[in-house]
């Protein structure tokens, strides 16, 4: 059994290459943000780049200074740097919350044009401060919310001027991202990156063949090494890509067939199951769980955590199930040996490495993302929970 890693793509559902989508794309989970304008892009990075270019066009003279959480994927920094923005970091505690007092101080000190926010792992960690977003908007600060970890979160995106996210992280797509806004979105410089799309289709269908096709163990091993190598190459290509690529016709053809409601339900079921199985552990513990039984701070939770945890309901359906581990690398290796591929989100970037607090260094060193997406059900979650309990037992004497 294997759990996690990149999506597999059934070659039978890939539209004919170059064939345009038959209908205009509209996703309910994006419609809930209630924005007038939506554009689909090849990636979350392209979505951010498109949003930044649109923002500068819509608000000439805006200060190109952004307040950004110090706990963030370094690939998010890239489009800001390429578009000529200065990044100023604000801090996140172990409960993955920002501090209103610090944000007010930094806003007064740096006079930013943009506040970038992120609700982590399907939980509205901004719930205690969403009312303040309106206050900052009145001061002329633009709000951009990244929902890549919390695409299904109902309370996300309502106050934001721009909502951005990656769709390819949620579904078996060769490419996919989006930006939604009340302001006009420009795509004058956007284009299809067909070579990238075709390579991604090829490697994702190889993953499908690896899981469901014929072949002996050695052949399967070679195929796996091949598509993982190709995936790393494609991710490196994205890191250096300077354009705002648009959604491919292949992804536009696949997305309407994805039943988002069923995906949400399956993720929520998996989340609830893991919450029940992983409580009370000493070697690792959930960052969040239903009813706030666990928290990022061992032995208790903050007042802000209480408020944020009100949003951790039975319908929580994050990108991953986040845990803290005493020995994160040891736990990750243990799971990998048992066919469970839990990524580290995220590696520290060169942009923020000198700006981290003790809490942020703890997050980067101890957090691990357990896969629990819609590809998996009770059988896979039971296996993963069993392996995690086996790991816990190794440390009991």
């Amino acid at each position: 059994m294997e759990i996690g890693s990149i999506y597999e793509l059934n070659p039978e559902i890939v539209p004919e290459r170059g064939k345009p989508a038959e209908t205009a794309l509209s996703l309910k989970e994006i419609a809930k943000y209630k924005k007038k304008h939506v554009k689909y892009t090849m990636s979350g990075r392209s979505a951010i780049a498109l949003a930044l270019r649109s923002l500068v066009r819509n608000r000439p003279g805006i200060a190109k200074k952004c307040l950004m959480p110090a706990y963030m994927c370094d690939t998010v920094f890239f489009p800001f740097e390429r578009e000529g923005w200065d990044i100023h970091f604000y801090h996140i505690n172990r409960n993955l919350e920002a501090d209103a007092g610090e944000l007010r101080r930094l806003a007064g000190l740096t006079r930013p044009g943009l506040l970038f926010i992120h609700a982590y792992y399907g939980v509205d960690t901004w719930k205690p401060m969403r009312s303040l977003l309106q206050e900052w908007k009145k001061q002329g600060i633009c709000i951009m919310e990244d929902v890549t970890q919390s695409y299904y979160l109902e309370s996300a995106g309502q106050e934001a001027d721009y909502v951005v996210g990656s769709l390819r992280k949620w579904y078996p797509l060769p490419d996919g991202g989006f930006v939604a806004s009340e302001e006009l979105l420009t795509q004058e410089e956007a284009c299809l990156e067909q070579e990238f799309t075709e390579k991604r289709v090829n490697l994702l269908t190889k993953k499908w063949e690896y899981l469901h096709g014929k072949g002996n163990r050695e052949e399967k091993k070679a195929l796996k090494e091949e598509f993982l190598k190709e995936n790393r190459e494609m991710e490196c290509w994205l890191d250096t890509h300077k354009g705002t690529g648009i959604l491919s016709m292949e992804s536009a053809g696949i997305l309407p067939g994805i039943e988002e409601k069923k995906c949400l339900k399956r993720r929520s079921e998996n989340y609830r199951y893991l919450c029940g199985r992983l409580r009370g552990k000493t070697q690792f513990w959930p960052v969040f769980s239903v009813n706030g039984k666990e928290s990022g701070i061992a032995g208790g939770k903050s007042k802000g955590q209480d408020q944020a945890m009100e949003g951790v309901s039975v319908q929580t359906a994050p990108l991953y199930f986040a845990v803290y581990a005493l020995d994160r690398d040891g736990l990750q290796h243990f799971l990998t040996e048992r066919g469970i591929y839990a990524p580290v989100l995220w590696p520290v970037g060169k942009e923020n490495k000198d700006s981290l607090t003790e809490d942020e260094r703890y997050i980067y060193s101890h957090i691990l993302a357990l896969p629990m997406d819609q590809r998996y059900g009770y059988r896979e979650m039971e296996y993963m929970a069993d392996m995690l309990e086996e790991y816990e037992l190794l440390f009991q004497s």
Side-chain angles (χ1 to χ4, degrees):
M1 182 182 295
E2 289 195 12
I3 303 173
S5 190
I6 62 174
Y7 281 99
E8 61 274 13
L9 179 58
N10 184 346
E12 293 183 2
I13 71 167
V14 180
E16 183 180 336
R17 305 293 172 88
K19 182 180 179 181
E22 294 181 359
T23 59
L25 184 58
S26 177
L27 300 177
K28 181 181 177 182
E29 292 301 323
I30 294 177
K32 74 174 182 287
Y33 302 123
K34 299 177 181 178
K35 306 304 181 191
K36 186 182 299 182
H37 304 284
V38 177
K39 295 289 186 183
Y40 293 91
T41 61
M42 68 180 293
S43 67
R45 283 165 251 186
S46 285
I48 293 172
L50 173 57
L52 292 175
R53 292 178 186 182
S54 300
L55 173 58
V56 170
R57 175 165 294 193
N58 291 325
R59 306 189 192 190
I62 189 172
K64 295 178 76 171
K65 292 183 285 186
C66 175
L67 285 179
M68 171 82 67
Y71 174 53
M72 182 50 56
C73 178
D74 62 346
T75 63
V76 169
F77 307 148
F78 300 163
F80 282 91
E81 294 173 338
R82 289 171 187 145
E83 297 299 318
W85 285 72
D86 294 327
I87 297 174
H88 301 268
F89 293 108
Y90 63 88
H91 297 295
I92 302 295
N93 63 27
R94 292 188 194 185
N95 293 323
L96 308 186
E97 306 162 328
D99 179 76
E102 185 206 21
L103 279 167
R104 284 196 176 100
R105 180 182 65 81
L106 288 173
L109 185 66
T110 63
R111 302 291 179 183
L114 177 64
L115 171 63
F116 190 92
I117 69 173
H118 190 104
Y120 297 100
Y121 300 103
V123 175
D124 194 357
T125 49
W126 272 86
K127 186 173 183 177
M129 294 194 296
R130 288 210 175 263
S131 61
L132 296 178
L133 297 178
Q134 295 294 342
E135 174 186 321
W136 287 318
K137 287 175 70 172
K138 289 178 182 178
Q139 296 174 14
I141 299 175
C142 178
I143 309 297
M144 186 179 297
E145 182 161 2
D146 185 342
V147 297
T148 295
Q149 287 190 349
S150 303
Y151 176 65
Y152 290 122
L153 185 63
E154 284 295 326
S155 56
Q158 303 296 323
E159 301 87 359
D161 298 289
Y162 291 83
V163 181
V164 296
S166 173
L167 292 171
R168 70 191 186 95
K169 302 289 179 61
W170 290 83
Y171 301 128
L173 303 169
D175 55 81
F178 73 92
V179 54
S181 176
E182 281 298 300
E183 300 181 355
L184 288 172
L185 298 171
T186 177
Q187 276 190 301
E188 289 183 2
E189 301 174 30
C191 62
L192 278 170
E193 297 289 353
Q194 193 61 32
E195 183 179 354
F196 171 85
T197 300
E198 291 179 359
K199 288 182 177 179
R200 285 278 299 168
V201 167
N202 185 50
L203 72 92
L204 296 184
T205 53
K206 284 181 182 177
K207 172 73 179 288
W208 176 274
E209 183 65 24
Y210 165 76
L211 292 174
H212 305 289
K214 298 179 180 179
N216 59 40
R217 180 175 296 182
E218 289 303 312
E219 290 171 333
K220 290 290 187 77
K221 181 181 178 181
L223 187 60
K224 183 176 183 177
E225 291 175 353
E226 188 177 326
F227 67 69
L228 288 178
K229 177 177 180 292
E230 291 171 355
N231 187 63
R232 288 192 295 270
E233 291 172 351
M234 292 297 95
E235 292 301 315
C236 289
W237 184 90
L238 273 178
D239 288 345
T240 59
H241 181 247
K242 297 180 180 180
T244 53
I246 62 175
L247 187 76
S248 70
M249 289 177 282
E250 286 84 353
S251 289
I254 294 170
L255 274 166
I258 293 175
E259 298 181 76
E260 291 194 301
K261 189 174 181 178
K262 286 187 176 180
C263 293
L264 188 159
K265 182 175 183 292
R266 175 60 62 83
R267 283 178 179 267
S268 179
E269 290 170 347
N270 291 343
Y271 187 88
R272 291 201 309 273
Y273 179 82
L274 291 176
C275 282
R277 287 289 303 271
L278 304 187
R279 286 176 181 163
K281 302 297 186 289
T282 61
Q283 299 304 308
F284 58 90
W285 55 93
V287 176
F288 305 114
S289 67
V290 175
N291 300 321
K293 297 298 184 182
E294 307 284 351
S295 76
I297 298 176
K301 54 185 183 291
S302 69
K303 181 179 179 181
Q305 176 82 358
D306 279 323
Q307 291 177 278
M309 293 304 289
E310 292 174 10
V312 186
S313 70
V314 294
Q315 293 184 348
T316 300
L319 185 63
Y320 291 100
F321 189 106
V323 298
Y324 284 126
L326 293 180
D327 179 7
R328 192 266 311 281
D329 294 344
L331 175 58
Q332 185 186 42
H333 178 72
F334 178 89
L335 293 174
T336 297
E337 287 189 325
R338 288 152 180 82
I340 301 167
Y341 303 102
V344 170
L345 301 185
W346 297 281
V348 177
K350 62 180 177 62
E351 297 83 357
N352 61 343
K353 66 182 179 66
D354 296 325
S355 303
L356 301 178
T357 63
E358 181 180 348
D359 272 1
E360 287 157 350
R361 286 193 291 271
Y362 181 91
I363 296 167
Y364 274 113
S365 299
H366 294 274
I367 205 163
L368 190 66
L370 302 179
M372 41 133 284
D373 60 72
Q374 64 273 2
R375 289 176 289 180
Y376 312 116
Y378 174 79
R379 175 172 169 265
E380 291 84 4
M381 294 300 99
E382 181 183 44
Y383 172 73
M384 183 160 64
D386 287 346
M387 294 303 100
L388 287 163
E389 289 186 348
E390 181 180 312
Y391 177 83
E392 174 80 7
L393 289 172
L394 292 175
F395 298 88
Q396 295 182 6
S397 58

